[in-house]
Amino acid sequence: VTGVGIIVTLEDNIEKSIVASDLRTLINELKLAGAEAISINGKRIVNSTSINCAGNVIQINGEKVGSPFVINAIGDKDLLYGELTKNGGTLYKLKKYGVLTSIKKVDSIEIDKEI
């Protein structure tokens, strides 16, 4: 799948680590904003994808993934960007608590098909 969208990068710091619920909430915000396809660290996210904590490690469908988390989302880049940068949103809260965050609009993203 290829299209316009956004790339979000989240990185742990010594004060705050990203947990599975942070990623799930961010994914839900992207879906509500109309994201057509989403991936985290190259892993396609679909409705049946499990995102869980296993100790201090996050697992996506049982595979360990670690910080930094690069989230690609295909969809209307202005709507997606606006949803994630609004005051009180998940990205706002993560940044407030010390997670290193970046977000950028891009004209071309490619997300692999679900395997």
Side-chain angles (χ1 to χ4, degrees), residues 66-81:
S67 176
F69 298 96
V70 178
I71 302 164
N72 292 332
I74 293 175
D76 183 311
K77 60 187 176 183
D78 294 323
L79 286 175
L80 297 173
Y81 186 92

Side-chain angles (χ1 to χ4, degrees), residues 20-32 84 89-90:
S21 62
D22 295 330
L23 293 176
R24 286 191 302 263
T25 302
L26 196 64
I27 295 303
N28 286 336
E29 286 182 357
L30 287 168
K31 287 179 181 178
L32 287 172
L84 292 189
T90 301

Side-chain angles (χ1 to χ4, degrees), residues 1-6 26-40 43-47 49 71-81 83-84 106-114:
V1 180
T2 304
V4 300
I6 61 170
L26 196 64
I27 295 303
N28 286 336
E29 286 182 357
L30 287 168
K31 287 179 181 178
L32 287 172
E36 299 165 20
I38 303 169
S39 69
I40 299 175
K43 298 179 184 325
R44 179 80 181 260
I45 305 300
V46 295
N47 288 338
T49 300
I71 302 164
N72 292 332
I74 293 175
D76 183 311
K77 60 187 176 183
D78 294 323
L79 286 175
L80 297 173
Y81 186 92
E83 178 66 26
L84 292 189
V106 292
D107 291 327
S108 182
I109 297 177
E110 186 174 331
I111 295 177
D112 290 338
K113 298 189 314 186
E114 180 184 9

Side-chain angles (χ1 to χ4, degrees), residues 56-75:
N56 62 348
V57 175
I58 293 178
Q59 293 182 334
I60 297 177
N61 286 334
E63 289 186 48
K64 294 179 184 177
V65 293
S67 176
F69 298 96
V70 178
I71 302 164
N72 292 332
I74 293 175

